Amino acid sequence: MDGCIFCMIASGEIPSETVLETEDVRVVADISPANPGHLLVIPKRHADDFTKLDEASAVAVIKTAQRVVRAMNNTLHPDGINVLQNNGEAAGQTVRHYHMHLIPRYVGDTVRMSWVPTAPGSEAIHSAAAEIRAGLGEA
Ligand code: 5GP
Ligand code: ZN
């Protein structure tokens, strides 16, 4: 997509610290990492977010992420690894081209990703689940 920075990174038009490139994805080092080794799996075909990802890209992102996470474990030996991605500004998405974060984690590091557990009650839990269930036909 014209003007999309991650399209330009994925295609190689903009240079990046690339860890792996396949036909469908490019894995690069995040420019402002949560920890050293923080990588982004970027599909080459533009998709705004998770809902727009084509099936071949989705498969490639997952398979590649799994391979790279295994390599990360074998090399950096982190205490854990976060595999995550954000959709929409409210969820923390700042680049509107789907990408998956692979973040090596260490006990005592400065990365904070948490929510305050709520207790909305079983009726609210049920009705939200029922609403989503009813929407599956249109998805
Ligand atoms: P988001 O907030 O959209 O989930 O994540 C965007 C990520 O892309 C951020 O972690 C940010 O540091 C990273 N990023 C933004 N611009 C660039 C860039 O030009 N090159 C690289 N390698 N990473 C970038
Ligand atoms: Zn793009």
Side-chain angles (χ1 to χ4, degrees):
M1 197 178 83
D2 269 2
C4 172
I5 188 163
F6 276 15
C7 278
M8 291 189 265
I9 288 173
S11 69
E13 194 180 331
I14 292 180
S16 62
E17 182 69 56
T18 294
V19 167
L20 176 66
E21 181 184 4
T22 72
E23 195 184 329
D24 296 305
V25 302
R26 181 185 291 269
V27 184
V28 306
D30 194 294
I31 204 167
S32 307
N35 274 324
H38 178 170
L39 305 178
L40 303 173
V41 184
I42 306 176
K44 291 187 175 177
R45 288 180 293 283
H46 181 92
D48 280 356
D49 61 27
F50 182 61
T51 65
K52 302 283 167 42
L53 204 57
D54 66 85
E55 196 172 324
S57 294
V59 170
V61 166
I62 291 290
K63 287 178 81 167
T64 305
Q66 197 176 47
R67 182 178 172 203
V68 173
V69 162
R70 285 178 180 143
M72 208 181 253
N73 267 330
N74 292 338
T75 52
L76 303 182
H77 305 292
D79 298 318
I81 296 177
N82 286 114
V83 176
L84 63 93
Q85 60 90 207
N86 304 318
N87 300 284
E89 207 177 324
Q93 187 179 15
T94 57
V95 177
R96 200 81 181 130
H97 174 130
Y98 174 93
H99 52 281
M100 181 178 274
H101 294 261
L102 310 178
I103 306 175
R105 297 297 308 276
Y106 302 91
V107 173
D109 69 19
T110 59
V111 184
R112 297 285 169 270
M113 277 176 286
S114 66
W115 58 85
V116 179
T118 62
S122 58
E123 184 47 41
I125 292 170
H126 166 71
S127 68
E131 238 182 293
I132 297 163
R133 206 178 292 125
L136 286 175
E138 297 147 34

